[in-house]
Short mmCIF file of all heavy atoms in Angstrom, two decimals:
data_model
loop_
_atom_site.label_atom_id
_atom_site.label_comp_id
_atom_site.label_asym_id
_atom_site.label_seq_id
_atom_site.Cartn_x
_atom_site.Cartn_y
_atom_site.Cartn_z
N LEU A 1 0.89 -1.20 0.11
CA LEU A 1 -0.02 -0.05 -0.01
C LEU A 1 0.79 1.18 0.07
O LEU A 1 2.08 1.23 0.28
CB LEU A 1 -0.94 -0.03 1.29
CG LEU A 1 -0.40 -0.14 2.57
CD1 LEU A 1 0.01 1.18 3.18
CD2 LEU A 1 -1.27 -0.79 3.52
N ILE A 2 0.27 2.30 -0.25
CA ILE A 2 0.94 3.65 -0.26
C ILE A 2 0.34 4.36 0.87
O ILE A 2 -0.83 4.70 0.93
CB ILE A 2 0.78 4.37 -1.63
CG1 ILE A 2 1.44 3.65 -2.79
CG2 ILE A 2 1.36 5.80 -1.55
CD1 ILE A 2 1.03 4.13 -4.05
N SER A 3 1.08 4.84 1.78
CA SER A 3 0.57 5.70 2.92
C SER A 3 1.20 7.06 2.73
O SER A 3 2.43 7.18 2.79
CB SER A 3 1.00 4.99 4.28
OG SER A 3 0.21 5.52 5.31
N LEU A 4 0.32 7.99 2.67
CA LEU A 4 0.78 9.34 2.37
C LEU A 4 0.57 10.18 3.59
O LEU A 4 0.09 9.84 4.69
CB LEU A 4 0.04 9.89 1.28
CG LEU A 4 0.08 9.16 -0.07
CD1 LEU A 4 -0.83 9.65 -1.08
CD2 LEU A 4 1.59 9.15 -0.60
N LEU A 5 0.92 11.42 3.50
CA LEU A 5 0.67 12.45 4.53
C LEU A 5 -0.78 12.49 5.14
O LEU A 5 -1.68 12.37 4.35
CB LEU A 5 1.02 13.89 4.07
CG LEU A 5 2.43 14.08 3.63
CD1 LEU A 5 2.57 15.43 3.04
CD2 LEU A 5 3.44 13.82 4.75
N GLN A 6 -0.94 12.59 6.37
CA GLN A 6 -2.19 12.80 7.07
C GLN A 6 -2.51 14.22 7.19
O GLN A 6 -1.72 15.06 7.72
CB GLN A 6 -2.23 11.95 8.41
CG GLN A 6 -1.84 10.51 8.20
CD GLN A 6 -2.95 9.85 7.37
OE1 GLN A 6 -4.09 9.82 7.70
NE2 GLN A 6 -2.55 9.43 6.33
N PRO A 7 -3.84 14.46 6.99
CA PRO A 7 -4.15 15.86 7.31
C PRO A 7 -4.16 16.21 8.82
O PRO A 7 -4.23 15.30 9.77
CB PRO A 7 -5.56 15.92 6.93
CG PRO A 7 -5.99 14.52 6.86
CD PRO A 7 -4.93 13.76 6.56
N MET A 8 -3.79 17.44 9.20
CA MET A 8 -3.77 17.85 10.66
C MET A 8 -5.20 17.93 11.15
O MET A 8 -6.21 18.25 10.44
CB MET A 8 -3.25 19.21 10.71
CG MET A 8 -3.13 19.74 12.09
SD MET A 8 -1.98 18.91 13.24
CE MET A 8 -0.40 19.63 12.59
N GLU A 9 -5.29 17.13 12.39
CA GLU A 9 -6.67 17.29 13.05
C GLU A 9 -6.33 18.06 14.35
O GLU A 9 -5.37 17.66 15.08
CB GLU A 9 -7.07 15.88 13.34
CG GLU A 9 -7.77 15.09 12.17
CD GLU A 9 -8.36 13.77 12.51
OE1 GLU A 9 -8.34 13.42 13.79
OE2 GLU A 9 -8.66 13.07 11.72
N CYS A 10 -7.22 18.75 14.76
CA CYS A 10 -7.24 19.46 16.07
C CYS A 10 -8.37 19.09 16.85
O CYS A 10 -9.52 18.93 16.32
CB CYS A 10 -7.19 21.01 15.79
SG CYS A 10 -5.68 21.58 15.07
N VAL A 11 -8.17 18.73 18.12
CA VAL A 11 -9.34 18.41 19.03
C VAL A 11 -9.28 19.31 20.20
O VAL A 11 -8.31 19.53 20.77
CB VAL A 11 -9.21 16.90 19.58
CG1 VAL A 11 -10.31 16.69 20.51
CG2 VAL A 11 -9.20 15.87 18.35
N LEU A 12 -10.38 20.19 20.29
CA LEU A 12 -10.45 21.11 21.32
C LEU A 12 -11.45 20.77 22.45
O LEU A 12 -12.53 20.19 22.10
CB LEU A 12 -10.96 22.50 20.83
CG LEU A 12 -10.13 23.08 19.66
CD1 LEU A 12 -10.58 24.32 19.21
CD2 LEU A 12 -8.73 23.31 20.07
N TYR A 13 -11.05 20.78 23.71
CA TYR A 13 -11.94 20.45 24.81
C TYR A 13 -11.59 21.31 26.05
O TYR A 13 -10.54 21.83 26.15
CB TYR A 13 -11.91 18.96 25.03
CG TYR A 13 -10.52 18.33 25.35
CD1 TYR A 13 -10.13 18.16 26.69
CD2 TYR A 13 -9.72 18.02 24.30
CE1 TYR A 13 -8.99 17.70 26.98
CE2 TYR A 13 -8.42 17.49 24.58
CZ TYR A 13 -8.08 17.31 25.85
OH TYR A 13 -6.75 16.78 26.18
N GLN A 14 -12.52 21.30 26.90
CA GLN A 14 -12.32 22.03 28.13
C GLN A 14 -11.15 21.48 29.02
O GLN A 14 -11.07 20.35 29.20
CB GLN A 14 -13.60 22.29 29.01
CG GLN A 14 -14.57 23.02 28.20
CD GLN A 14 -14.38 24.49 28.01
OE1 GLN A 14 -13.52 25.05 28.78
NE2 GLN A 14 -15.01 25.12 27.11
N PRO A 15 -10.33 22.37 29.71
CA PRO A 15 -9.31 21.80 30.62
C PRO A 15 -9.72 21.07 31.75
O PRO A 15 -9.12 20.24 32.40
CB PRO A 15 -8.50 23.05 30.97
CG PRO A 15 -9.45 24.18 30.82
CD PRO A 15 -10.36 23.78 29.63
N TRP A 16 -11.04 21.21 32.07
CA TRP A 16 -11.65 20.55 33.22
C TRP A 16 -12.27 19.17 32.79
O TRP A 16 -12.66 18.41 33.69
CB TRP A 16 -12.62 21.48 34.08
CG TRP A 16 -13.56 22.19 33.11
CD1 TRP A 16 -13.45 23.59 32.73
CD2 TRP A 16 -14.87 21.67 32.33
NE1 TRP A 16 -14.55 23.94 31.96
CE2 TRP A 16 -15.33 22.69 31.70
CE3 TRP A 16 -15.42 20.49 32.32
CZ2 TRP A 16 -16.42 22.68 30.83
CZ3 TRP A 16 -16.51 20.35 31.56
CH2 TRP A 16 -17.09 21.46 30.82
N PHE A 17 -12.28 18.89 31.51
CA PHE A 17 -12.68 17.58 31.10
C PHE A 17 -11.50 16.68 31.16
O PHE A 17 -10.64 16.70 30.35
CB PHE A 17 -13.38 17.69 29.64
CG PHE A 17 -13.97 16.53 29.10
CD1 PHE A 17 -14.94 15.92 29.84
CD2 PHE A 17 -13.53 16.08 27.90
CE1 PHE A 17 -15.46 14.78 29.40
CE2 PHE A 17 -14.23 14.87 27.41
CZ PHE A 17 -15.10 14.28 28.22
N LYS A 18 -11.51 15.69 32.06
CA LYS A 18 -10.40 14.86 32.31
C LYS A 18 -10.57 13.49 31.86
O LYS A 18 -11.76 12.91 31.54
CB LYS A 18 -10.13 14.72 33.89
CG LYS A 18 -9.91 16.03 34.44
CD LYS A 18 -8.76 16.72 33.98
CE LYS A 18 -8.27 17.88 34.69
NZ LYS A 18 -7.03 18.49 34.05
N GLY A 19 -9.55 12.75 31.44
CA GLY A 19 -9.59 11.35 30.99
C GLY A 19 -9.60 11.36 29.39
O GLY A 19 -9.48 10.26 28.83
N TYR A 20 -9.80 12.54 28.79
CA TYR A 20 -9.97 12.61 27.42
C TYR A 20 -8.71 13.27 26.86
O TYR A 20 -8.34 14.36 27.31
CB TYR A 20 -11.20 13.46 27.03
CG TYR A 20 -11.32 13.55 25.49
CD1 TYR A 20 -11.73 12.46 24.73
CD2 TYR A 20 -11.18 14.87 24.86
CE1 TYR A 20 -11.87 12.56 23.34
CE2 TYR A 20 -11.30 15.04 23.48
CZ TYR A 20 -11.64 13.94 22.71
OH TYR A 20 -11.78 13.92 21.39
N ASP A 21 -8.03 12.66 25.83
CA ASP A 21 -6.86 13.26 25.17
C ASP A 21 -6.89 13.23 23.59
O ASP A 21 -5.91 13.11 23.00
CB ASP A 21 -5.60 12.43 25.67
CG ASP A 21 -5.24 12.53 27.11
OD1 ASP A 21 -5.32 13.86 27.56
OD2 ASP A 21 -5.04 11.51 27.70
N GLY A 22 -8.24 13.45 23.20
CA GLY A 22 -8.39 13.59 21.76
C GLY A 22 -8.59 12.21 21.11
O GLY A 22 -8.42 12.15 19.80
N GLN A 23 -8.89 11.22 21.89
CA GLN A 23 -9.05 9.93 21.21
C GLN A 23 -10.12 9.87 20.10
O GLN A 23 -11.16 10.51 20.28
CB GLN A 23 -9.48 8.82 22.31
CG GLN A 23 -8.59 8.59 23.39
CD GLN A 23 -8.75 9.48 24.55
OE1 GLN A 23 -9.22 10.65 24.46
NE2 GLN A 23 -8.43 8.91 25.67
N ARG A 24 -9.66 9.41 19.01
CA ARG A 24 -10.54 9.48 17.80
C ARG A 24 -11.91 8.92 18.01
O ARG A 24 -11.99 7.70 18.37
CB ARG A 24 -9.76 8.71 16.68
CG ARG A 24 -10.49 8.81 15.29
CD ARG A 24 -9.53 8.06 14.28
NE ARG A 24 -10.08 8.18 12.96
CZ ARG A 24 -10.68 7.05 12.59
NH1 ARG A 24 -10.57 5.94 13.03
NH2 ARG A 24 -11.32 7.14 11.29
N ASP A 25 -12.95 9.66 17.75
CA ASP A 25 -14.35 9.30 17.66
C ASP A 25 -14.80 8.80 19.17
O ASP A 25 -15.79 8.14 19.26
CB ASP A 25 -14.59 8.21 16.85
CG ASP A 25 -14.35 8.66 15.33
OD1 ASP A 25 -14.51 9.84 15.02
OD2 ASP A 25 -13.96 7.78 14.46
N ALA A 26 -14.07 9.08 20.24
CA ALA A 26 -14.34 8.51 21.61
C ALA A 26 -15.74 9.32 22.08
O ALA A 26 -16.39 8.53 22.88
CB ALA A 26 -13.34 9.03 22.47
N LEU A 27 -15.99 10.36 21.70
CA LEU A 27 -17.24 11.15 22.21
C LEU A 27 -18.32 11.06 21.09
O LEU A 27 -19.48 11.09 21.58
CB LEU A 27 -16.79 12.61 22.42
CG LEU A 27 -15.79 12.83 23.34
CD1 LEU A 27 -15.50 14.41 23.47
CD2 LEU A 27 -16.28 12.37 24.75
N THR A 28 -18.08 10.84 19.87
CA THR A 28 -19.07 10.86 18.87
C THR A 28 -19.49 9.46 18.28
O THR A 28 -20.67 9.27 17.77
CB THR A 28 -18.77 11.82 17.61
OG1 THR A 28 -17.69 11.28 17.00
CG2 THR A 28 -18.42 13.20 18.09
N GLY A 29 -18.50 8.68 18.35
CA GLY A 29 -18.78 7.31 17.59
C GLY A 29 -19.01 7.55 16.04
O GLY A 29 -19.68 6.74 15.49
N ALA A 30 -18.28 8.46 15.51
CA ALA A 30 -18.49 8.84 14.10
C ALA A 30 -18.21 7.67 13.14
O ALA A 30 -18.84 7.70 12.15
CB ALA A 30 -17.53 10.00 13.81
N ASP A 31 -17.31 6.77 13.54
CA ASP A 31 -17.02 5.55 12.82
C ASP A 31 -17.95 4.37 13.28
O ASP A 31 -17.61 3.30 12.97
CB ASP A 31 -15.55 5.23 12.79
CG ASP A 31 -14.69 6.04 11.90
OD1 ASP A 31 -15.38 6.75 10.97
OD2 ASP A 31 -13.47 6.11 11.99
N GLY A 32 -18.90 4.67 13.97
CA GLY A 32 -19.79 3.61 14.57
C GLY A 32 -19.63 3.65 16.05
O GLY A 32 -18.58 4.32 16.55
N PRO A 33 -20.54 3.05 16.69
CA PRO A 33 -20.50 3.13 18.14
C PRO A 33 -19.52 2.17 18.86
O PRO A 33 -19.40 2.06 20.10
CB PRO A 33 -22.04 2.70 18.62
CG PRO A 33 -22.27 1.78 17.38
CD PRO A 33 -21.66 2.32 16.25
N HIS A 34 -18.65 1.62 18.03
CA HIS A 34 -17.69 0.56 18.62
C HIS A 34 -16.80 1.12 19.76
O HIS A 34 -16.32 0.31 20.65
CB HIS A 34 -16.82 -0.12 17.61
CG HIS A 34 -15.94 0.82 16.80
ND1 HIS A 34 -16.42 1.73 15.84
CD2 HIS A 34 -14.65 1.03 16.80
CE1 HIS A 34 -15.49 2.43 15.48
NE2 HIS A 34 -14.30 1.98 16.07
N LEU A 35 -16.49 2.45 19.83
CA LEU A 35 -15.66 2.86 20.81
C LEU A 35 -16.47 3.57 22.03
O LEU A 35 -15.87 3.78 23.10
CB LEU A 35 -14.73 4.03 20.34
CG LEU A 35 -13.62 3.49 19.29
CD1 LEU A 35 -12.80 4.67 18.77
CD2 LEU A 35 -12.75 2.43 19.93
#
């Protein structure tokens, strides 16, 4: 396969929201509810 550059992603959240470090789809389940 060919793996190319990834687009930059920014995740913003409140500093008082703990345990979250920008895990992909952890809050939305955008790729399905598996997470």
Side-chain angles (χ1 to χ4, degrees):
L1 54 91
I2 300 170
S3 189
L4 302 171
L5 297 173
Q6 296 302 297
M8 177 66 77
E9 282 186 8
C10 295
V11 178
L12 304 174
Y13 56 97
Q14 296 292 342
W16 42 259
F17 185 52
K18 301 297 185 180
Y20 179 70
D21 293 312
Q23 297 93 328
R24 185 172 177 254
D25 301 327
L27 299 174
T28 64
D31 280 344
H34 62 284
L35 295 178

